[in-house]
Amino acid sequence: MLVELRLRLAESHLMRNSGTVKQVAFWVGFRDEHHFSKMYKHIRGITATEYSRRCNDPLFRHTVAGTDPYSLYPLNRYVVVNENV
């Protein structure tokens, strides 16, 4: 539960582009940015850098989670896209 809360707080920082992945890792309580990156990739399925990039790209912005890091059930974590439309 603590790791999930820290990842959500990190996502809120990454959404606002308020620092590098290394800085965000330390801000949310990880002592090692490599451990943070491994945990993020393992739990979320994408890297923290990719998440930050998606937040800043208008084409992918709809695929990121909501901005409330304390929400137990974030909205629209994954989106299915129909390429035939």
Side-chain angles (χ1 to χ4, degrees):
M1 186 69 179
L2 179 61
V3 172
E4 179 65 27
L5 181 61
R6 286 181 176 175
L7 291 182
R8 289 182 187 175
L9 288 171
E11 286 174 343
S12 69
H13 285 292
L14 292 169
M15 271 189 221
R16 289 177 286 184
N17 218 7
S18 59
T20 64
V21 173
K22 182 178 181 176
Q23 291 171 331
V24 169
F26 287 117
W27 289 340
V28 298
F30 285 89
R31 291 184 180 183
D32 182 17
E33 69 272 10
H34 300 292
H35 179 66
F36 168 75
S37 296
K38 285 174 68 174
M39 292 297 294
Y40 194 93
K41 171 79 173 174
H42 177 73
I43 293 173
R44 297 293 191 244
I46 63 171
T47 64
T49 304
E50 179 64 24
Y51 181 83
S52 179
R53 211 175 293 137
R54 287 183 183 188
C55 289
N56 294 315
D57 187 354
L59 294 176
F60 291 104
R61 192 171 293 149
H62 68 282
T63 64
V64 297
T67 58
D68 183 13
Y70 299 103
S71 172
L72 291 177
Y73 303 102
L75 300 175
N76 240 350
R77 172 125 352 240
Y78 303 101
V79 176
V80 177
V81 177
N82 185 354
E83 296 176 1
N84 297 327
V85 176

